[in-house]
Protein backbone atom coordinates (compact mmCIF):
# COMPACT_ATOMS: atom_id res chain seq x y z
CA UNK A 1 0.00 0.00 0.00
CA UNK A 2 2.72 2.54 0.75
CA UNK A 3 3.93 2.10 -2.80
CA UNK A 4 0.52 3.14 -4.17
CA UNK A 5 0.39 6.20 -1.88
CA UNK A 6 3.85 7.28 -3.04
CA UNK A 7 2.79 6.98 -6.65
CA UNK A 8 -0.36 9.01 -6.06
CA UNK A 9 1.67 11.64 -4.24
CA UNK A 10 4.06 11.97 -7.17
CA UNK A 11 1.14 12.18 -9.59
CA UNK A 12 -0.60 14.93 -7.59
CA UNK A 13 2.59 16.93 -7.20
CA UNK A 14 3.35 16.74 -10.91
CA UNK A 15 -0.07 18.18 -11.75
CA UNK A 16 0.20 21.12 -9.35
CA UNK A 17 1.65 24.30 -10.87
CA UNK A 18 5.00 25.25 -9.48
CA UNK A 19 5.24 28.45 -7.55
CA UNK A 20 7.85 29.92 -9.87
CA UNK A 21 9.42 28.53 -12.95
CA UNK A 22 12.76 29.43 -14.44
CA UNK A 23 11.11 31.47 -17.17
CA UNK A 24 9.18 33.63 -14.70
CA UNK A 25 12.14 34.61 -12.60
CA UNK A 26 13.00 38.26 -12.37
CA UNK A 27 16.39 39.52 -13.41
CA UNK A 28 18.95 39.42 -10.64
CA UNK A 29 18.59 42.50 -8.49
CA UNK A 30 21.67 42.26 -6.35
CA UNK A 31 25.30 42.97 -6.88
CA UNK A 32 25.40 41.02 -10.12
CA UNK A 33 22.88 43.36 -11.76
CA UNK A 34 24.77 46.39 -10.46
CA UNK A 35 28.04 45.01 -11.85
CA UNK A 36 26.39 44.35 -15.21
CA UNK A 37 24.99 47.88 -15.30
CA UNK A 38 28.41 49.32 -14.42
CA UNK A 39 30.01 47.20 -17.18
CA UNK A 40 27.46 48.46 -19.69
CA UNK A 41 27.99 52.09 -18.67
CA UNK A 42 31.74 51.61 -19.10
CA UNK A 43 31.03 50.19 -22.56
CA UNK A 44 29.00 53.33 -23.39
CA UNK A 45 31.86 55.54 -22.21
CA UNK A 46 34.28 53.57 -24.42
CA UNK A 47 31.95 53.92 -27.41
CA UNK A 48 31.73 57.69 -26.87
CA UNK A 49 35.53 57.90 -26.59
CA UNK A 50 35.85 55.93 -29.85
CA UNK A 51 33.45 58.39 -31.50
CA UNK A 52 35.62 61.28 -30.32
CA UNK A 53 38.74 59.62 -31.73
CA UNK A 54 37.00 59.07 -35.07
CA UNK A 55 35.97 62.75 -35.16
CA UNK A 56 39.59 63.76 -34.47
CA UNK A 57 40.68 61.50 -37.33
CA UNK A 58 38.22 63.26 -39.65
CA UNK A 59 39.59 66.64 -38.60
CA UNK A 60 43.14 65.43 -39.35
CA UNK A 61 42.05 64.22 -42.78
CA UNK A 62 40.43 67.62 -43.45
CA UNK A 63 43.73 69.33 -42.57
CA UNK A 64 45.62 66.95 -44.85
CA UNK A 65 43.21 67.73 -47.71
CA UNK A 66 43.74 71.46 -47.19
CA UNK A 67 47.53 70.97 -47.13
CA UNK A 68 47.54 69.03 -50.42
CA UNK A 69 45.23 71.65 -51.93
CA UNK A 70 47.60 74.43 -50.92
CA UNK A 71 50.60 72.49 -52.26
CA UNK A 72 48.84 71.93 -55.59
CA UNK A 73 48.09 75.64 -55.96
CA UNK A 74 51.65 76.61 -55.03
CA UNK A 75 53.16 74.08 -57.43
CA UNK A 76 50.93 75.20 -60.27
CA UNK A 77 51.72 78.85 -59.57
CA UNK A 78 55.43 77.95 -59.73
CA UNK A 79 54.92 76.19 -63.06
CA UNK A 80 55.54 72.70 -61.68
CA UNK A 81 52.69 70.80 -63.33
CA UNK A 82 53.96 67.33 -62.37
CA UNK A 83 54.19 68.32 -58.71
CA UNK A 84 50.72 69.91 -58.85
CA UNK A 85 49.32 66.75 -60.47
CA UNK A 86 50.88 64.63 -57.70
CA UNK A 87 49.45 66.91 -54.99
CA UNK A 88 45.97 66.76 -56.55
CA UNK A 89 46.19 62.97 -56.82
CA UNK A 90 47.17 62.74 -53.15
CA UNK A 91 44.37 65.14 -52.20
CA UNK A 92 41.82 62.97 -54.05
CA UNK A 93 43.07 59.84 -52.28
CA UNK A 94 42.76 61.55 -48.89
CA UNK A 95 39.25 62.72 -49.85
CA UNK A 96 38.32 59.07 -50.51
CA UNK A 97 39.74 58.02 -47.13
CA UNK A 98 37.81 60.85 -45.50
CA UNK A 99 34.54 59.75 -47.13
CA UNK A 100 35.06 56.20 -45.82
CA UNK A 101 35.96 57.49 -42.34
CA UNK A 102 32.87 59.72 -42.31
CA UNK A 103 30.64 56.78 -43.24
CA UNK A 104 32.23 54.64 -40.51
CA UNK A 105 31.71 57.43 -37.99
CA UNK A 106 28.05 57.64 -38.96
CA UNK A 107 27.62 53.89 -38.42
CA UNK A 108 29.52 54.13 -35.13
CA UNK A 109 27.33 56.99 -33.90
CA UNK A 110 24.14 55.07 -34.69
CA UNK A 111 25.47 51.99 -32.88
CA UNK A 112 26.47 54.11 -29.89
CA UNK A 113 23.03 55.69 -29.75
CA UNK A 114 21.42 52.24 -29.85
CA UNK A 115 23.73 51.00 -27.10
CA UNK A 116 22.80 53.99 -24.93
CA UNK A 117 19.11 53.33 -25.57
CA UNK A 118 19.45 49.67 -24.62
CA UNK A 119 21.39 50.48 -21.45
CA UNK A 120 18.67 52.98 -20.48
CA UNK A 121 15.96 50.36 -21.08
CA UNK A 122 17.86 47.84 -18.96
CA UNK A 123 18.38 50.38 -16.19
CA UNK A 124 14.69 51.33 -16.21
CA UNK A 125 13.63 47.66 -16.10
CA UNK A 126 16.01 47.07 -13.23
CA UNK A 127 14.65 50.06 -11.31
CA UNK A 128 11.09 48.90 -11.96
CA UNK A 129 11.92 45.38 -10.80
CA UNK A 130 13.42 46.74 -7.59
CA UNK A 131 10.26 48.73 -6.85
CA UNK A 132 7.91 45.77 -7.25
CA UNK A 133 7.25 43.37 -4.37
CA UNK A 134 9.51 40.33 -4.48
CA UNK A 135 6.73 37.74 -4.84
CA UNK A 136 5.40 38.99 -8.21
CA UNK A 137 7.29 38.30 -11.42
CA UNK A 138 8.41 41.29 -13.44
CA UNK A 139 6.66 41.34 -16.81
CA UNK A 140 9.08 42.00 -19.66
CA UNK A 141 11.95 42.96 -17.39
CA UNK A 142 14.32 40.78 -19.35
CA UNK A 143 12.77 41.64 -22.71
CA UNK A 144 15.40 44.06 -23.87
CA UNK A 145 18.85 43.65 -22.48
CA UNK A 146 21.83 45.30 -24.08
CA UNK A 147 23.49 42.98 -26.52
CA UNK A 148 25.98 45.14 -28.37
CA UNK A 149 29.60 44.46 -27.75
CA UNK A 150 32.56 46.54 -28.76
CA UNK A 151 32.99 44.55 -31.95
CA UNK A 152 29.35 45.15 -32.91
CA UNK A 153 29.91 48.89 -32.92
CA UNK A 154 32.68 48.77 -35.50
CA UNK A 155 31.77 49.64 -39.04
CA UNK A 156 30.99 46.53 -41.08
CA UNK A 157 33.85 45.64 -43.43
CA UNK A 158 35.21 48.94 -44.62
CA UNK A 159 35.73 48.75 -48.35
CA UNK A 160 39.02 49.85 -49.86
CA UNK A 161 38.86 53.08 -51.84
CA UNK A 162 37.97 52.86 -55.49
CA UNK A 163 40.76 53.43 -58.00
CA UNK A 164 41.45 57.10 -58.54
CA UNK A 165 39.93 58.57 -61.68
CA UNK A 166 42.70 60.33 -63.60
CA UNK A 167 40.09 62.41 -65.41
CA UNK A 168 39.09 63.94 -62.05
CA UNK A 169 42.73 64.88 -61.45
CA UNK A 170 43.00 66.45 -64.92
CA UNK A 171 39.72 68.36 -64.43
CA UNK A 172 40.86 69.69 -61.07
CA UNK A 173 44.20 70.71 -62.56
CA UNK A 174 42.42 72.58 -65.38
CA UNK A 175 40.15 74.42 -62.93
CA UNK A 176 43.17 75.45 -60.89
CA UNK A 177 44.96 76.74 -63.98
CA UNK A 178 41.92 78.78 -64.94
CA UNK A 179 41.54 80.17 -61.43
CA UNK A 180 45.22 81.03 -61.08
CA UNK A 181 45.44 82.64 -64.53
CA UNK A 182 42.85 85.28 -63.61
Amino acid sequence: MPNLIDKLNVLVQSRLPRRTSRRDRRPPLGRRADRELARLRKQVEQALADDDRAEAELAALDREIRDWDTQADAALAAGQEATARHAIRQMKLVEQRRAIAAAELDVRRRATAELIRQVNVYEAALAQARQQPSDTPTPGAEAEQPVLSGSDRAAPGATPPAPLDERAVDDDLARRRARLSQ
Side-chain angles (χ1 to χ4, degrees):
M1 217 38 160
N3 202 7
L4 181 62
I5 292 174
D6 290 340
K7 289 180 180 180
L8 286 174
N9 212 5
V10 169
L11 183 63
V12 168
Q13 286 178 358
S14 69
R15 302 255 182 202
L16 290 175
R18 296 186 190 263
R19 190 167 199 186
T20 59
S21 70
R22 289 189 183 267
R23 286 177 277 162
D24 294 336
R25 284 191 186 161
R26 295 185 341 199
L29 298 177
R31 289 187 207 149
R32 196 168 77 201
D34 291 336
R35 281 193 305 265
E36 178 67 11
L37 190 57
R39 184 189 67 77
L40 291 169
R41 285 181 180 153
K42 191 176 285 188
Q43 192 174 353
V44 167
E45 289 173 9
Q46 181 65 43
L48 291 171
D50 290 346
D51 289 354
D52 291 344
R53 278 191 289 279
E55 286 176 12
E57 181 183 327
L58 276 180
L61 289 172
D62 286 337
R63 284 190 301 274
E64 191 175 348
I65 289 169
R66 282 192 306 273
D67 290 346
W68 283 117
D69 184 48
T70 303
Q71 288 180 23
D73 284 345
L76 200 54
Q80 300 171 341
E81 187 171 323
T83 304
R85 182 179 299 277
H86 172 75
I88 292 170
R89 187 174 293 118
Q90 294 303 312
M91 182 183 73
K92 296 291 183 188
L93 289 172
V94 174
E95 285 173 348
Q96 285 180 347
R97 285 190 357 235
R98 191 209 181 281
I100 291 170
E104 288 175 352
L105 177 60
D106 186 47
V107 168
R108 182 182 304 275
R109 283 180 177 159
R110 279 189 258 127
T112 300
E114 178 62 18
L115 176 64
I116 290 169
R117 186 193 68 74
Q118 288 182 355
V119 169
N120 289 339
V121 166
Y122 180 69
E123 188 172 15
L126 195 59
Q128 181 184 8
R130 284 185 172 149
Q131 290 175 353
Q132 289 184 352
S134 62
D135 60 332
T136 59
T138 305
E142 52 188 292
E144 283 194 62
Q145 289 195 6
V147 292
L148 291 179
S149 68
S151 63
D152 292 335
R153 286 182 277 109
T159 57
L164 192 59
D165 183 16
E166 287 298 320
R167 201 171 330 143
V169 173
D170 292 337
D171 292 344
D172 194 327
L173 194 59
R175 280 192 302 275
R176 288 171 191 274
R177 277 192 201 116
R179 188 185 66 209
L180 290 173
S181 66
Q182 294 175 353

